[in-house]
Amino acid sequence: MATTSSTPLLKDELDIVIPTIRNLDFLEMWRPFFQPYHLIIVQDGDPAKAIKVPEGFNYELYNRNDVNRILGPKASCISFKDSACRCFGYMVAKDPSGKDINALEQHIKNLLSPSTPFFFNTLYDPYRDGADFVRGYPFSLREGAPTAVSHGLWLNIPDYDAPTQLVKPLERNNRYVDAVLTIPKGTLFPMCGMNLAFDRELIGPAMYFGLMGDGQPIGRYDDMWAGWCTKVITDHLSLGIKTGLPYIWHSKASNPFVNLKKEYNGIFWQEELIPFFQSVALPKEATTVQKCYLELAKQVKAKLGKVDGYFLKLADAMVTWIEAWDELNPPKGAITIAKGPAPKSK
């Protein structure tokens, strides 16, 4: 539990990305926490529809027309009519106890403190106040590793797949566990993109949410795909991922029958995908996130292409994503040319 800081952490260095198909009235609930920061809103669906944003927020609003204008032919790697569109916001972000829970502040604290991926500490996160390394923890590993991702959890309606939703329609998660853990090296996890923060400099190019939604044979696996790719790469680059706090309250359950249509192929394919990611080996020459991701794309094409032709297309989109990322995020000192007018902003 934490209250709002008088001086917001990372005030000029943090962007909040929000994908949406509707008005953002819910921002009023988050105003005390979000208002000091810059918002990047990615509007999915009909670009002609006007999205209303409450007054007083500093934001940029991008719709599909903006995506097409900025990326040109490379816009094909950004999903349409699916929450996976959020990764466009990651690409264009710039460096620049009864009390209310400040989820944003907790994410920032997670990212600014090290992780412990190489040796499990049984007393949770040793860098939190009131905790430390337990007896037997190697002193040579106590400096930890840089934290690339902070993965928060949900209270109330759980993040279940469609079959589990159907058999447990009334189940709710009421257990608040005041803990943060590092996910051990070599262990995959199901990443949810609804309560997520990451260090863009450390892992940004890996946060691609794949080809999902409109025109694709799969949906609701966008964050899962990004999580599996990210975990393999953070393991290879000796970075950490934390999970646990902060919690957010999830109050709107999605339709399990609609979800089942979206997830149907993924439920079968994941039995092939998990062993693939568990066995992926990246070469020592892959020393950057981009190099790791391009190597991963090669292996996806070679090994998962046999599962379904969709993965051949996805592998090509992964390469396009990296090309687009590098085009919009050139090395410091490089000259860039703007394409068209700036997006709508406040």
Side-chain angles (χ1 to χ4, degrees), residues 16 38 47 60 73 106 112 158 161 167 180 186 206 215 270 283 289 301 330:
I16 300 171
H38 178 243
E60 294 174 76
Q106 182 63 53
L112 292 180
D161 52 41
V167 298
V180 178
Q270 70 182 17
V289 176
K301 177 169 280 192

Side-chain angles (χ1 to χ4, degrees), residues 231-247:
K231 188 57 168 66
V232 167
I233 293 173
T234 54
D235 283 354
H236 178 74
L237 296 178
S238 296
L239 302 171
I241 296 178
K242 291 184 177 183
T243 188
L245 299 178
Y247 284 85

Side-chain angles (χ1 to χ4, degrees), residues 23-68:
N23 294 334
L24 298 179
D25 300 329
F26 79 91
L27 283 177
E28 290 295 349
M29 297 173 58
W30 290 85
R31 186 180 290 277
F33 311 123
F34 282 11
Q35 192 161 17
Y37 297 98
H38 178 243
L39 309 183
I40 297 177
I41 301 166
V42 183
Q43 177 184 345
D44 201 10
D46 183 5
K49 179 181 177 181
I51 296 292
K52 294 181 181 178
V53 182
E55 294 289 335
F57 287 94
N58 172 26
Y59 69 90
E60 294 174 76
L61 173 62
Y62 295 88
N63 59 34
R64 191 69 200 189
N65 293 337
D66 297 314
V67 174
N68 292 337

Side-chain angles (χ1 to χ4, degrees), residues 16 92 228 242 258:
I16 300 171
V92 298
W228 296 330
K242 291 184 177 183
V258 173

